[in-house]
Amino acid sequence: MSTDSDSEDTLELRLPDELIALFSEEEGTHADEAPERREIKTAPSGARSIDGDLLDDVGDWGPVTTPAGAFHLVPVHMERDLPLVSRWMNDPAVAEFWKLAGPPSVTEDHLRAQCTGDGRSVPCLGVLEGTPMSYWEIYRADLDPLARHYPARPHDTGIHLLIGAVADRGRGIGSVLLRAVADLALDRRPVCARVVAEPDLRNTPSIAAFLSAGFRFSAEVELPAKRAALMVRDRLLRDLL
């Protein structure tokens, strides 16, 4: 199973300084410090993190125990992870929706835009029982171009996912991990009331996986490169779905 990311890049939208300051005040993160002066730190993994992280330190969310085994989101380290992620992007089943097939430089550009960005999107490997087997993008949907196409709420957290190993597709692991990651986002981000995703309407296995993971179908949305299913996992309904 693979889900897809809209071709309008997550990081193309420049976050206004005033909005950064507003979120800083809400989250209590260096509200008195100009955004451009925030300290940029290099995490041990090699991914950049921002003091006052917009996603509450995704790399520290896990590990978590799931029915499929111990699972951990590990922020992408470019030099270490590019060959693997590029190989996954060239799998025809993945390329159909992600549109990142080609030489490693294509995937590198996509990853680097996030790794050197302002922290609104964090690319991660999904490591199951010690083995990297999936690629994730955890992003602030309310600060993403997606917010132009649905009634976004402050701190909405978005998910993009692909399952890399063919052997892991079609046997329910995607649903298990989607539920685990959505619950992690709700647990680790108390200000987030819901987790959203926007798989292509044609990607019926992906939509089915989200439904099995406790997401509900909210609406069809017309995005620049696709017609998508807006999938939502609500904090208030998480124990019912």
Side-chain angles (χ1 to χ4, degrees), residues 182-206:
D183 285 346
L184 276 172
L186 295 173
D187 289 340
R188 303 296 192 263
R189 304 200 67 235
V191 294
C192 171
R194 59 187 187 171
V195 179
V196 304
E198 21 76 35
D200 194 303
L201 272 175
R202 300 169 300 158
N203 196 344
T204 53
S206 176

Side-chain angles (χ1 to χ4, degrees), residues 1-28:
M1 181 208 67
S2 65
T3 69
D4 44 89
S5 64
D6 186 25
S7 63
E8 184 175 7
D9 195 279
T10 300
L11 301 176
E12 292 290 350
L13 189 62
R14 170 69 166 85
L15 183 63
D17 293 345
E18 294 84 358
L19 189 54
I20 292 177
L22 176 61
F23 280 108
S24 296
E25 292 168 4
E26 291 177 353
E27 298 172 353

